[in-house]
């Protein structure tokens, strides 16, 4: 795991650090860590996360979790 990704994970609230290797997007079998990687690499909106990972491209049940990760990781300044 690269340093930038580890720093991002370290700044997450404890509840969002759980189950990093488990699928966040069940429909497309996308692990939470892949979504975090996409955000760290510039996917600063739900649509960009979807384009990079295909997460939330199914029935969208993971959208709220992705939004929580975006809120925690994207600089809103």
């Amino acid at each position: 795991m690269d340093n930038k990704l580890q720093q991002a994970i370290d700044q997450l609230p404890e509840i969002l650090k759980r189950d990093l290797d488990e699928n966040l997007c069940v429909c497309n079998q996308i692990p939470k860590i892949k979504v975090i990687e996409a955000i760290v690499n510039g996917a600063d909106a739900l649509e960009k996360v979807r384009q990079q990972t295909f997460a939330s491209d199914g029935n969208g049940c993971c959208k709220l979790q992705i939004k929580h990760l975006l809120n925690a990781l994207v600089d809103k300044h």
Side-chain angles (χ1 to χ4, degrees), residues 18-55:
R18 296 179 189 162
D19 304 320
L20 294 175
D21 293 321
E22 298 295 320
N23 287 338
L24 181 103
C25 177
V26 178
C27 296
N28 294 318
Q29 299 180 347
I30 310 299
K32 183 187 281 187
I33 193 71
K34 292 297 181 188
V35 172
I36 294 170
E37 275 182 313
I39 295 168
V40 166
N41 291 320
D44 59 358
L46 179 63
E47 184 58 34
K48 290 180 183 179
V49 171
R50 182 181 301 130
Q51 289 171 352
Q52 288 188 29
T53 66
F54 299 104

PDB file of all heavy atoms in Angstrom, residues 18-55:
ATOM      1  N   ARG A  18     -13.237   0.144   8.555  1.00  0.00           N
ATOM      2  CA  ARG A  18     -13.568  -1.280   8.689  1.00  0.00           C
ATOM      3  C   ARG A  18     -13.746  -1.939   7.325  1.00  0.00           C
ATOM      4  O   ARG A  18     -14.207  -1.316   6.372  1.00  0.00           O
ATOM      5  CB  ARG A  18     -14.866  -1.444   9.472  1.00  0.00           C
ATOM      6  CG  ARG A  18     -14.766  -0.971  10.885  1.00  0.00           C
ATOM      7  CD  ARG A  18     -16.074  -1.138  11.600  1.00  0.00           C
ATOM      8  NE  ARG A  18     -16.027  -0.486  12.895  1.00  0.00           N
ATOM      9  CZ  ARG A  18     -17.091  -0.164  13.598  1.00  0.00           C
ATOM     10  NH1 ARG A  18     -18.293  -0.427  13.133  1.00  0.00           N
ATOM     11  NH2 ARG A  18     -16.954   0.418  14.758  1.00  0.00           N
ATOM     12  N   ASP A  19     -13.413  -3.200   7.262  1.00  0.00           N
ATOM     13  CA  ASP A  19     -13.695  -4.055   6.107  1.00  0.00           C
ATOM     14  C   ASP A  19     -13.152  -3.500   4.792  1.00  0.00           C
ATOM     15  O   ASP A  19     -13.838  -3.525   3.764  1.00  0.00           O
ATOM     16  CB  ASP A  19     -15.211  -4.294   5.982  1.00  0.00           C
ATOM     17  CG  ASP A  19     -15.814  -4.877   7.239  1.00  0.00           C
ATOM     18  OD1 ASP A  19     -15.162  -5.748   7.858  1.00  0.00           O
ATOM     19  OD2 ASP A  19     -16.922  -4.469   7.609  1.00  0.00           O
ATOM     20  N   LEU A  20     -11.930  -3.028   4.797  1.00  0.00           N
ATOM     21  CA  LEU A  20     -11.340  -2.432   3.597  1.00  0.00           C
ATOM     22  C   LEU A  20     -11.255  -3.403   2.426  1.00  0.00           C
ATOM     23  O   LEU A  20     -11.356  -2.991   1.271  1.00  0.00           O
ATOM     24  CB  LEU A  20      -9.960  -1.863   3.905  1.00  0.00           C
ATOM     25  CG  LEU A  20      -9.920  -0.679   4.856  1.00  0.00           C
ATOM     26  CD1 LEU A  20      -8.485  -0.297   5.166  1.00  0.00           C
ATOM     27  CD2 LEU A  20     -10.687   0.497   4.287  1.00  0.00           C
ATOM     28  N   ASP A  21     -11.074  -4.678   2.708  1.00  0.00           N
ATOM     29  CA  ASP A  21     -10.948  -5.664   1.634  1.00  0.00           C
ATOM     30  C   ASP A  21     -12.280  -6.304   1.253  1.00  0.00           C
ATOM     31  O   ASP A  21     -12.335  -7.115   0.327  1.00  0.00           O
ATOM     32  CB  ASP A  21      -9.944  -6.746   2.023  1.00  0.00           C
ATOM     33  CG  ASP A  21      -8.537  -6.188   2.125  1.00  0.00           C
ATOM     34  OD1 ASP A  21      -8.186  -5.334   1.286  1.00  0.00           O
ATOM     35  OD2 ASP A  21      -7.797  -6.586   3.037  1.00  0.00           O
ATOM     36  N   GLU A  22     -13.336  -5.927   1.956  1.00  0.00           N
ATOM     37  CA  GLU A  22     -14.670  -6.445   1.634  1.00  0.00           C
ATOM     38  C   GLU A  22     -15.284  -5.607   0.515  1.00  0.00           C
ATOM     39  O   GLU A  22     -14.959  -4.437   0.340  1.00  0.00           O
ATOM     40  CB  GLU A  22     -15.573  -6.397   2.869  1.00  0.00           C
ATOM     41  CG  GLU A  22     -15.090  -7.247   4.017  1.00  0.00           C
ATOM     42  CD  GLU A  22     -15.094  -8.731   3.708  1.00  0.00           C
ATOM     43  OE1 GLU A  22     -16.056  -9.202   3.064  1.00  0.00           O
ATOM     44  OE2 GLU A  22     -14.128  -9.409   4.085  1.00  0.00           O
ATOM     45  N   ASN A  23     -16.203  -6.206  -0.229  1.00  0.00           N
ATOM     46  CA  ASN A  23     -16.848  -5.485  -1.320  1.00  0.00           C
ATOM     47  C   ASN A  23     -17.746  -4.381  -0.789  1.00  0.00           C
ATOM     48  O   ASN A  23     -18.667  -4.637  -0.028  1.00  0.00           O
ATOM     49  CB  ASN A  23     -17.666  -6.432  -2.186  1.00  0.00           C
ATOM     50  CG  ASN A  23     -16.801  -7.323  -3.040  1.00  0.00           C
ATOM     51  OD1 ASN A  23     -15.649  -7.001  -3.309  1.00  0.00           O
ATOM     52  ND2 ASN A  23     -17.347  -8.439  -3.464  1.00  0.00           N
ATOM     53  N   LEU A  24     -17.461  -3.168  -1.199  1.00  0.00           N
ATOM     54  CA  LEU A  24     -18.342  -2.038  -0.901  1.00  0.00           C
ATOM     55  C   LEU A  24     -19.491  -2.065  -1.895  1.00  0.00           C
ATOM     56  O   LEU A  24     -20.633  -1.862  -1.546  1.00  0.00           O
ATOM     57  CB  LEU A  24     -17.568  -0.726  -1.014  1.00  0.00           C
ATOM     58  CG  LEU A  24     -18.405   0.490  -0.707  1.00  0.00           C
ATOM     59  CD1 LEU A  24     -18.078   0.987   0.697  1.00  0.00           C
ATOM     60  CD2 LEU A  24     -18.169   1.579  -1.703  1.00  0.00           C
ATOM     61  N   CYS A  25     -19.169  -2.329  -3.144  1.00  0.00           N
ATOM     62  CA  CYS A  25     -20.173  -2.467  -4.200  1.00  0.00           C
ATOM     63  C   CYS A  25     -20.347  -3.955  -4.459  1.00  0.00           C
ATOM     64  O   CYS A  25     -19.485  -4.592  -5.072  1.00  0.00           O
ATOM     65  CB  CYS A  25     -19.710  -1.744  -5.462  1.00  0.00           C
ATOM     66  SG  CYS A  25     -20.847  -1.935  -6.849  1.00  0.00           S
ATOM     67  N   VAL A  26     -21.438  -4.498  -3.974  1.00  0.00           N
ATOM     68  CA  VAL A  26     -21.696  -5.923  -4.098  1.00  0.00           C
ATOM     69  C   VAL A  26     -22.028  -6.286  -5.543  1.00  0.00           C
ATOM     70  O   VAL A  26     -21.578  -7.307  -6.054  1.00  0.00           O
ATOM     71  CB  VAL A  26     -22.834  -6.353  -3.144  1.00  0.00           C
ATOM     72  CG1 VAL A  26     -23.142  -7.829  -3.294  1.00  0.00           C
ATOM     73  CG2 VAL A  26     -22.456  -6.034  -1.710  1.00  0.00           C
ATOM     74  N   CYS A  27     -22.769  -5.434  -6.214  1.00  0.00           N
ATOM     75  CA  CYS A  27     -23.186  -5.710  -7.597  1.00  0.00           C
ATOM     76  C   CYS A  27     -21.987  -5.948  -8.517  1.00  0.00           C
ATOM     77  O   CYS A  27     -21.990  -6.860  -9.333  1.00  0.00           O
ATOM     78  CB  CYS A  27     -24.008  -4.563  -8.162  1.00  0.00           C
ATOM     79  SG  CYS A  27     -25.576  -4.295  -7.326  1.00  0.00           S
ATOM     80  N   ASN A  28     -20.983  -5.117  -8.392  1.00  0.00           N
ATOM     81  CA  ASN A  28     -19.822  -5.202  -9.273  1.00  0.00           C
ATOM     82  C   ASN A  28     -18.574  -5.728  -8.577  1.00  0.00           C
ATOM     83  O   ASN A  28     -17.489  -5.700  -9.148  1.00  0.00           O
ATOM     84  CB  ASN A  28     -19.538  -3.835  -9.896  1.00  0.00           C
ATOM     85  CG  ASN A  28     -20.644  -3.423 -10.823  1.00  0.00           C
ATOM     86  OD1 ASN A  28     -21.151  -4.233 -11.601  1.00  0.00           O
ATOM     87  ND2 ASN A  28     -21.061  -2.180 -10.753  1.00  0.00           N
ATOM     88  N   GLN A  29     -18.734  -6.179  -7.342  1.00  0.00           N
ATOM     89  CA  GLN A  29     -17.655  -6.774  -6.558  1.00  0.00           C
ATOM     90  C   GLN A  29     -16.426  -5.861  -6.481  1.00  0.00           C
ATOM     91  O   GLN A  29     -15.303  -6.268  -6.781  1.00  0.00           O
ATOM     92  CB  GLN A  29     -17.292  -8.152  -7.110  1.00  0.00           C
ATOM     93  CG  GLN A  29     -18.455  -9.112  -7.062  1.00  0.00           C
ATOM     94  CD  GLN A  29     -18.119 -10.479  -7.610  1.00  0.00           C
ATOM     95  OE1 GLN A  29     -17.097 -10.688  -8.246  1.00  0.00           O
ATOM     96  NE2 GLN A  29     -18.998 -11.423  -7.347  1.00  0.00           N
ATOM     97  N   ILE A  30     -16.658  -4.619  -6.035  1.00  0.00           N
ATOM     98  CA  ILE A  30     -15.603  -3.634  -5.893  1.00  0.00           C
ATOM     99  C   ILE A  30     -15.293  -3.468  -4.408  1.00  0.00           C
ATOM    100  O   ILE A  30     -16.148  -3.010  -3.648  1.00  0.00           O
ATOM    101  CB  ILE A  30     -16.015  -2.265  -6.485  1.00  0.00           C
ATOM    102  CG1 ILE A  30     -16.572  -2.412  -7.900  1.00  0.00           C
ATOM    103  CG2 ILE A  30     -14.846  -1.291  -6.413  1.00  0.00           C
ATOM    104  CD1 ILE A  30     -15.635  -2.994  -8.909  1.00  0.00           C
ATOM    105  N   PRO A  31     -14.075  -3.832  -3.982  1.00  0.00           N
ATOM    106  CA  PRO A  31     -13.717  -3.682  -2.573  1.00  0.00           C
ATOM    107  C   PRO A  31     -13.637  -2.212  -2.166  1.00  0.00           C
ATOM    108  O   PRO A  31     -13.331  -1.334  -2.979  1.00  0.00           O
ATOM    109  CB  PRO A  31     -12.341  -4.336  -2.466  1.00  0.00           C
ATOM    110  CG  PRO A  31     -12.100  -5.034  -3.742  1.00  0.00           C
ATOM    111  CD  PRO A  31     -13.018  -4.455  -4.761  1.00  0.00           C
ATOM    112  N   LYS A  32     -13.889  -1.955  -0.903  1.00  0.00           N
ATOM    113  CA  LYS A  32     -13.836  -0.596  -0.372  1.00  0.00           C
ATOM    114  C   LYS A  32     -12.481   0.049  -0.644  1.00  0.00           C
ATOM    115  O   LYS A  32     -12.398   1.229  -0.974  1.00  0.00           O
ATOM    116  CB  LYS A  32     -14.116  -0.606   1.135  1.00  0.00           C
ATOM    117  CG  LYS A  32     -14.160   0.790   1.739  1.00  0.00           C
ATOM    118  CD  LYS A  32     -14.260   0.757   3.255  1.00  0.00           C
ATOM    119  CE  LYS A  32     -15.661   0.472   3.696  1.00  0.00           C
ATOM    120  NZ  LYS A  32     -15.809   0.596   5.166  1.00  0.00           N
ATOM    121  N   ILE A  33     -11.397  -0.712  -0.525  1.00  0.00           N
ATOM    122  CA  ILE A  33     -10.062  -0.155  -0.731  1.00  0.00           C
ATOM    123  C   ILE A  33      -9.909   0.391  -2.147  1.00  0.00           C
ATOM    124  O   ILE A  33      -9.235   1.400  -2.362  1.00  0.00           O
ATOM    125  CB  ILE A  33      -8.959  -1.187  -0.388  1.00  0.00           C
ATOM    126  CG1 ILE A  33      -7.592  -0.534  -0.301  1.00  0.00           C
ATOM    127  CG2 ILE A  33      -8.960  -2.336  -1.368  1.00  0.00           C
ATOM    128  CD1 ILE A  33      -7.397   0.338   0.898  1.00  0.00           C
ATOM    129  N   LYS A  34     -10.546  -0.223  -3.139  1.00  0.00           N
ATOM    130  CA  LYS A  34     -10.475   0.261  -4.522  1.00  0.00           C
ATOM    131  C   LYS A  34     -11.194   1.591  -4.669  1.00  0.00           C
ATOM    132  O   LYS A  34     -10.760   2.464  -5.421  1.00  0.00           O
ATOM    133  CB  LYS A  34     -11.045  -0.770  -5.498  1.00  0.00           C
ATOM    134  CG  LYS A  34     -10.223  -2.023  -5.611  1.00  0.00           C
ATOM    135  CD  LYS A  34      -8.845  -1.719  -6.167  1.00  0.00           C
ATOM    136  CE  LYS A  34      -8.018  -2.975  -6.296  1.00  0.00           C
ATOM    137  NZ  LYS A  34      -6.637  -2.698  -6.640  1.00  0.00           N
ATOM    138  N   VAL A  35     -12.291   1.765  -3.961  1.00  0.00           N
ATOM    139  CA  VAL A  35     -13.018   3.032  -3.987  1.00  0.00           C
ATOM    140  C   VAL A  35     -12.160   4.117  -3.337  1.00  0.00           C
ATOM    141  O   VAL A  35     -12.034   5.228  -3.873  1.00  0.00           O
ATOM    142  CB  VAL A  35     -14.385   2.902  -3.284  1.00  0.00           C
ATOM    143  CG1 VAL A  35     -15.058   4.249  -3.129  1.00  0.00           C
ATOM    144  CG2 VAL A  35     -15.283   1.938  -4.049  1.00  0.00           C
ATOM    145  N   ILE A  36     -11.537   3.794  -2.213  1.00  0.00           N
ATOM    146  CA  ILE A  36     -10.664   4.760  -1.535  1.00  0.00           C
ATOM    147  C   ILE A  36      -9.492   5.128  -2.442  1.00  0.00           C
ATOM    148  O   ILE A  36      -9.141   6.300  -2.560  1.00  0.00           O
ATOM    149  CB  ILE A  36     -10.183   4.202  -0.179  1.00  0.00           C
ATOM    150  CG1 ILE A  36     -11.374   4.054   0.766  1.00  0.00           C
ATOM    151  CG2 ILE A  36      -9.107   5.097   0.427  1.00  0.00           C
ATOM    152  CD1 ILE A  36     -11.074   3.295   2.045  1.00  0.00           C
ATOM    153  N   GLU A  37      -8.906   4.140  -3.108  1.00  0.00           N
ATOM    154  CA  GLU A  37      -7.810   4.417  -4.048  1.00  0.00           C
ATOM    155  C   GLU A  37      -8.252   5.381  -5.146  1.00  0.00           C
ATOM    156  O   GLU A  37      -7.511   6.298  -5.503  1.00  0.00           O
ATOM    157  CB  GLU A  37      -7.326   3.127  -4.708  1.00  0.00           C
ATOM    158  CG  GLU A  37      -6.315   2.369  -3.931  1.00  0.00           C
ATOM    159  CD  GLU A  37      -5.855   1.129  -4.680  1.00  0.00           C
ATOM    160  OE1 GLU A  37      -6.700   0.380  -5.202  1.00  0.00           O
ATOM    161  OE2 GLU A  37      -4.634   0.917  -4.729  1.00  0.00           O
ATOM    162  N   ALA A  38      -9.437   5.170  -5.682  1.00  0.00           N
ATOM    163  CA  ALA A  38      -9.941   6.043  -6.737  1.00  0.00           C
ATOM    164  C   ALA A  38     -10.087   7.472  -6.229  1.00  0.00           C
ATOM    165  O   ALA A  38      -9.718   8.430  -6.915  1.00  0.00           O
ATOM    166  CB  ALA A  38     -11.278   5.524  -7.258  1.00  0.00           C
ATOM    167  N   ILE A  39     -10.595   7.626  -5.013  1.00  0.00           N
ATOM    168  CA  ILE A  39     -10.769   8.956  -4.425  1.00  0.00           C
ATOM    169  C   ILE A  39      -9.411   9.613  -4.210  1.00  0.00           C
ATOM    170  O   ILE A  39      -9.211  10.778  -4.556  1.00  0.00           O
ATOM    171  CB  ILE A  39     -11.582   8.875  -3.113  1.00  0.00           C
ATOM    172  CG1 ILE A  39     -13.009   8.404  -3.410  1.00  0.00           C
ATOM    173  CG2 ILE A  39     -11.593  10.227  -2.402  1.00  0.00           C
ATOM    174  CD1 ILE A  39     -13.816   8.019  -2.181  1.00  0.00           C
ATOM    175  N   VAL A  40      -8.466   8.862  -3.684  1.00  0.00           N
ATOM    176  CA  VAL A  40      -7.118   9.383  -3.449  1.00  0.00           C
ATOM    177  C   VAL A  40      -6.472   9.809  -4.773  1.00  0.00           C
ATOM    178  O   VAL A  40      -5.729  10.781  -4.827  1.00  0.00           O
ATOM    179  CB  VAL A  40      -6.255   8.317  -2.726  1.00  0.00           C
ATOM    180  CG1 VAL A  40      -4.779   8.664  -2.766  1.00  0.00           C
ATOM    181  CG2 VAL A  40      -6.727   8.154  -1.298  1.00  0.00           C
ATOM    182  N   ASN A  41      -6.806   9.113  -5.842  1.00  0.00           N
ATOM    183  CA  ASN A  41      -6.224   9.402  -7.154  1.00  0.00           C
ATOM    184  C   ASN A  41      -7.053  10.385  -7.979  1.00  0.00           C
ATOM    185  O   ASN A  41      -6.891  10.456  -9.199  1.00  0.00           O
ATOM    186  CB  ASN A  41      -5.992   8.103  -7.924  1.00  0.00           C
ATOM    187  CG  ASN A  41      -4.887   7.281  -7.303  1.00  0.00           C
ATOM    188  OD1 ASN A  41      -3.883   7.815  -6.867  1.00  0.00           O
ATOM    189  ND2 ASN A  41      -5.077   5.983  -7.236  1.00  0.00           N
ATOM    190  N   GLY A  42      -7.949  11.128  -7.319  1.00  0.00           N
ATOM    191  CA  GLY A  42      -8.610  12.225  -8.003  1.00  0.00           C
ATOM    192  C   GLY A  42     -10.095  12.101  -8.267  1.00  0.00           C
ATOM    193  O   GLY A  42     -10.704  13.042  -8.776  1.00  0.00           O
ATOM    194  N   ALA A  43     -10.691  10.975  -7.962  1.00  0.00           N
ATOM    195  CA  ALA A  43     -12.139  10.828  -8.161  1.00  0.00           C
ATOM    196  C   ALA A  43     -12.841  11.554  -7.016  1.00  0.00           C
ATOM    197  O   ALA A  43     -13.065  10.997  -5.955  1.00  0.00           O
ATOM    198  CB  ALA A  43     -12.538   9.359  -8.200  1.00  0.00           C
ATOM    199  N   ASP A  44     -13.166  12.826  -7.239  1.00  0.00           N
ATOM    200  CA  ASP A  44     -13.688  13.665  -6.157  1.00  0.00           C
ATOM    201  C   ASP A  44     -15.205  13.820  -6.171  1.00  0.00           C
ATOM    202  O   ASP A  44     -15.755  14.675  -5.506  1.00  0.00           O
ATOM    203  CB  ASP A  44     -13.011  15.036  -6.186  1.00  0.00           C
ATOM    204  CG  ASP A  44     -13.235  15.764  -7.502  1.00  0.00           C
ATOM    205  OD1 ASP A  44     -13.879  15.200  -8.415  1.00  0.00           O
ATOM    206  OD2 ASP A  44     -12.745  16.901  -7.624  1.00  0.00           O
ATOM    207  N   ALA A  45     -15.880  12.972  -6.930  1.00  0.00           N
ATOM    208  CA  ALA A  45     -17.345  12.977  -6.991  1.00  0.00           C
ATOM    209  C   ALA A  45     -17.821  11.558  -7.290  1.00  0.00           C
ATOM    210  O   ALA A  45     -17.072  10.737  -7.831  1.00  0.00           O
ATOM    211  CB  ALA A  45     -17.824  13.930  -8.077  1.00  0.00           C
ATOM    212  N   LEU A  46     -19.067  11.287  -6.946  1.00  0.00           N
ATOM    213  CA  LEU A  46     -19.636   9.949  -7.136  1.00  0.00           C
ATOM    214  C   LEU A  46     -19.484   9.479  -8.581  1.00  0.00           C
ATOM    215  O   LEU A  46     -19.083   8.346  -8.832  1.00  0.00           O
ATOM    216  CB  LEU A  46     -21.109   9.932  -6.718  1.00  0.00           C
ATOM    217  CG  LEU A  46     -21.832   8.613  -6.892  1.00  0.00           C
ATOM    218  CD1 LEU A  46     -21.221   7.523  -6.028  1.00  0.00           C
ATOM    219  CD2 LEU A  46     -23.305   8.784  -6.553  1.00  0.00           C
ATOM    220  N   GLU A  47     -19.779  10.340  -9.529  1.00  0.00           N
ATOM    221  CA  GLU A  47     -19.687   9.956 -10.941  1.00  0.00           C
ATOM    222  C   GLU A  47     -18.260   9.575 -11.325  1.00  0.00           C
ATOM    223  O   GLU A  47     -18.037   8.627 -12.081  1.00  0.00           O
ATOM    224  CB  GLU A  47     -20.195  11.085 -11.833  1.00  0.00           C
ATOM    225  CG  GLU A  47     -20.221  10.736 -13.303  1.00  0.00           C
ATOM    226  CD  GLU A  47     -21.064   9.521 -13.669  1.00  0.00           C
ATOM    227  OE1 GLU A  47     -22.106   9.290 -13.020  1.00  0.00           O
ATOM    228  OE2 GLU A  47     -20.673   8.787 -14.597  1.00  0.00           O
ATOM    229  N   LYS A  48     -17.283  10.286 -10.802  1.00  0.00           N
ATOM    230  CA  LYS A  48     -15.883   9.967 -11.101  1.00  0.00           C
ATOM    231  C   LYS A  48     -15.472   8.637 -10.477  1.00  0.00           C
ATOM    232  O   LYS A  48     -14.728   7.874 -11.088  1.00  0.00           O
ATOM    233  CB  LYS A  48     -14.967  11.093 -10.628  1.00  0.00           C
ATOM    234  CG  LYS A  48     -15.116  12.362 -11.447  1.00  0.00           C
ATOM    235  CD  LYS A  48     -14.189  13.435 -10.940  1.00  0.00           C
ATOM    236  CE  LYS A  48     -14.372  14.736 -11.706  1.00  0.00           C
ATOM    237  NZ  LYS A  48     -13.484  15.787 -11.192  1.00  0.00           N
ATOM    238  N   VAL A  49     -15.961   8.367  -9.255  1.00  0.00           N
ATOM    239  CA  VAL A  49     -15.702   7.065  -8.625  1.00  0.00           C
ATOM    240  C   VAL A  49     -16.312   5.969  -9.491  1.00  0.00           C
ATOM    241  O   VAL A  49     -15.676   4.948  -9.760  1.00  0.00           O
ATOM    242  CB  VAL A  49     -16.254   7.010  -7.182  1.00  0.00           C
ATOM    243  CG1 VAL A  49     -16.171   5.598  -6.625  1.00  0.00           C
ATOM    244  CG2 VAL A  49     -15.515   7.986  -6.281  1.00  0.00           C
ATOM    245  N   ARG A  50     -17.524   6.194  -9.956  1.00  0.00           N
ATOM    246  CA  ARG A  50     -18.216   5.209 -10.808  1.00  0.00           C
ATOM    247  C   ARG A  50     -17.415   4.973 -12.095  1.00  0.00           C
ATOM    248  O   ARG A  50     -17.254   3.831 -12.521  1.00  0.00           O
ATOM    249  CB  ARG A  50     -19.616   5.696 -11.146  1.00  0.00           C
ATOM    250  CG  ARG A  50     -20.406   4.698 -11.975  1.00  0.00           C
ATOM    251  CD  ARG A  50     -21.796   5.187 -12.333  1.00  0.00           C
ATOM    252  NE  ARG A  50     -22.562   5.479 -11.146  1.00  0.00           N
ATOM    253  CZ  ARG A  50     -23.223   6.629 -10.951  1.00  0.00           C
ATOM    254  NH1 ARG A  50     -23.209   7.581 -11.852  1.00  0.00           N
ATOM    255  NH2 ARG A  50     -23.911   6.809  -9.848  1.00  0.00           N
ATOM    256  N   GLN A  51     -16.928   6.030 -12.712  1.00  0.00           N
ATOM    257  CA  GLN A  51     -16.171   5.896 -13.962  1.00  0.00           C
ATOM    258  C   GLN A  51     -14.884   5.107 -13.756  1.00  0.00           C
ATOM    259  O   GLN A  51     -14.501   4.318 -14.618  1.00  0.00           O
ATOM    260  CB  GLN A  51     -15.844   7.276 -14.532  1.00  0.00           C
ATOM    261  CG  GLN A  51     -17.032   7.999 -15.097  1.00  0.00           C
ATOM    262  CD  GLN A  51     -16.722   9.446 -15.460  1.00  0.00           C
ATOM    263  OE1 GLN A  51     -15.644   9.961 -15.160  1.00  0.00           O
ATOM    264  NE2 GLN A  51     -17.673  10.101 -16.096  1.00  0.00           N
ATOM    265  N   GLN A  52     -14.222   5.317 -12.634  1.00  0.00           N
ATOM    266  CA  GLN A  52     -12.939   4.644 -12.388  1.00  0.00           C
ATOM    267  C   GLN A  52     -13.080   3.222 -11.874  1.00  0.00           C
ATOM    268  O   GLN A  52     -12.214   2.386 -12.122  1.00  0.00           O
ATOM    269  CB  GLN A  52     -12.098   5.454 -11.400  1.00  0.00           C
ATOM    270  CG  GLN A  52     -11.541   6.714 -11.987  1.00  0.00           C
ATOM    271  CD  GLN A  52     -10.561   7.398 -11.050  1.00  0.00           C
ATOM    272  OE1 GLN A  52      -9.886   6.763 -10.248  1.00  0.00           O
ATOM    273  NE2 GLN A  52     -10.481   8.710 -11.150  1.00  0.00           N
ATOM    274  N   THR A  53     -14.160   2.944 -11.126  1.00  0.00           N
ATOM    275  CA  THR A  53     -14.256   1.650 -10.450  1.00  0.00           C
ATOM    276  C   THR A  53     -15.477   0.824 -10.830  1.00  0.00           C
ATOM    277  O   THR A  53     -15.522  -0.360 -10.537  1.00  0.00           O
ATOM    278  CB  THR A  53     -14.320   1.842  -8.924  1.00  0.00           C
ATOM    279  OG1 THR A  53     -15.547   2.495  -8.592  1.00  0.00           O
ATOM    280  CG2 THR A  53     -13.123   2.615  -8.407  1.00  0.00           C
ATOM    281  N   PHE A  54     -16.486   1.447 -11.407  1.00  0.00           N
ATOM    282  CA  PHE A  54     -17.790   0.849 -11.684  1.00  0.00           C
ATOM    283  C   PHE A  54     -18.616   0.633 -10.419  1.00  0.00           C
ATOM    284  O   PHE A  54     -19.689   0.061 -10.468  1.00  0.00           O
ATOM    285  CB  PHE A  54     -17.681  -0.465 -12.475  1.00  0.00           C
ATOM    286  CG  PHE A  54     -17.031  -0.286 -13.812  1.00  0.00           C
ATOM    287  CD1 PHE A  54     -15.723  -0.695 -14.016  1.00  0.00           C
ATOM    288  CD2 PHE A  54     -17.707   0.319 -14.854  1.00  0.00           C
ATOM    289  CE1 PHE A  54     -15.106  -0.506 -15.239  1.00  0.00           C
ATOM    290  CE2 PHE A  54     -17.104   0.508 -16.081  1.00  0.00           C
ATOM    291  CZ  PHE A  54     -15.798   0.093 -16.267  1.00  0.00           C
ATOM    292  N   ALA A  55     -18.120   1.101  -9.276  1.00  0.00           N
ATOM    293  CA  ALA A  55     -18.910   1.031  -8.047  1.00  0.00           C
ATOM    294  C   ALA A  55     -20.116   1.946  -8.196  1.00  0.00           C
ATOM    295  O   ALA A  55     -20.013   3.033  -8.752  1.00  0.00           O
ATOM    296  CB  ALA A  55     -18.077   1.463  -6.843  1.00  0.00           C
TER     297      ALA A  55
END
